[in-house]
Amino acid sequence: MTRSFLFLLASSRSDGNTELLARRAAEQLPADVEQRWIDLAQHPLPDFEDLRHDSDHARPRDGAAGLLLDATIAATDIVIASPLYWYSVSGQAKRYLDYWSGWLRTPGVDFKATMAGRTLWGVTALAHEEFEVADPLIGTLNNSAAYLRMRFGGVLLGNGSKPGDVLRDTEALARAKTFFAQEAPLARFPYEAA
């Protein structure tokens, strides 16, 4: 399968540090790799309604949910570009991941089997120089990938608070040059043997 990247911008600020870092990393992808960029602020999802125990599940065709489901299952690689908000993913990113629960029960999609083997990546900018504060964000993405038996490429971390700060983080920019070139291992829950 030819690689196809879906970049989900999940920030309250357009052209923010996380997006700038994600775009720097994406510049390194080969020219024949498809890239699709969706700004979740421009395609807001309604509040997620947990209908797990209801029987009437329908495939979303219209609106943000239909757009994001189709884009997600069409991609081989999904990149969640979320700034670190209160030590985890943004509200937009969390809502998108909440929708995965509904898509697991959507007729004709077989979401879990479809996503197995694909790769989830993260990109985030944070105002801390101690990157350990991003561990909850990394855990959210890793565990989401592990549940679906996806690969997890990790999270590209950069430092920045004011717009454009991340462009002065030379270490993050260096990591961006090879971030998507690495082989992503199968995601595992922390309790699973390595």
Side-chain angles (χ1 to χ4, degrees):
M1 178 181 244
T2 304
R3 287 181 84 184
S4 172
F5 275 72
L6 172 62
F7 289 86
L8 296 166
L9 302 176
S11 175
S12 299
R13 179 189 301 163
S14 61
D15 298 321
N17 288 304
T18 296
E19 181 178 346
L20 292 173
L21 187 57
R23 290 193 183 278
R24 286 294 175 100
E27 288 172 1
Q28 310 307 313
L29 289 169
D32 63 336
V33 172
E34 179 186 345
Q35 296 182 32
R36 183 169 185 188
W37 294 76
I38 298 177
D39 186 338
L40 295 177
Q42 300 298 317
H43 301 281
L45 288 163
D47 286 339
F48 176 71
E49 187 177 355
D50 186 354
L51 300 174
R52 245 182 308 195
H53 304 291
D54 296 344
S55 60
D56 187 24
H57 296 280
R59 180 187 175 108
R61 300 275 180 210
D62 301 317
L67 169 79
L68 290 167
L69 172 58
D70 290 342
T72 300
I73 60 177
T76 60
D77 294 77
I78 297 154
V79 182
I80 296 182
S82 170
L84 186 70
Y85 287 161
W86 284 104
Y87 310 102
S88 191
V89 295
S90 68
Q92 295 97 320
K94 178 63 170 76
R95 186 170 287 182
Y96 165 74
L97 292 172
D98 286 345
Y99 268 74
W100 285 15
S101 295
W103 296 342
L104 285 167
R105 291 158 185 80
T106 301
V109 174
D110 202 0
F111 190 70
K112 192 167 189 176
T114 299
M115 299 306 290
R118 298 187 186 199
T119 306
L120 182 64
W121 308 84
V123 178
T124 193
L126 57 152
H128 287 267
E129 292 184 18
E130 301 79 17
F131 286 161
E132 295 83 1
V133 299
D135 286 352
L137 179 146
I138 295 167
T140 293
L141 297 180
N142 175 77
N143 293 345
S144 297
Y147 181 77
L148 294 180
R149 307 312 299 161
M150 297 175 73
R151 298 183 170 282
F152 182 55
V155 178
L156 175 60
L157 299 168
N159 183 270
S161 181
K162 293 184 303 209
D165 274 356
V166 77
L167 299 178
R168 290 188 289 280
D169 184 345
T170 56
E171 292 178 10
L173 296 177
R175 288 190 300 272
K177 289 182 185 265
T178 59
F179 183 61
F180 293 126
Q182 65 181 323
E183 183 66 30
L186 187 65
R188 296 185 182 280
F189 288 107
Y191 57 80
E192 292 180 305

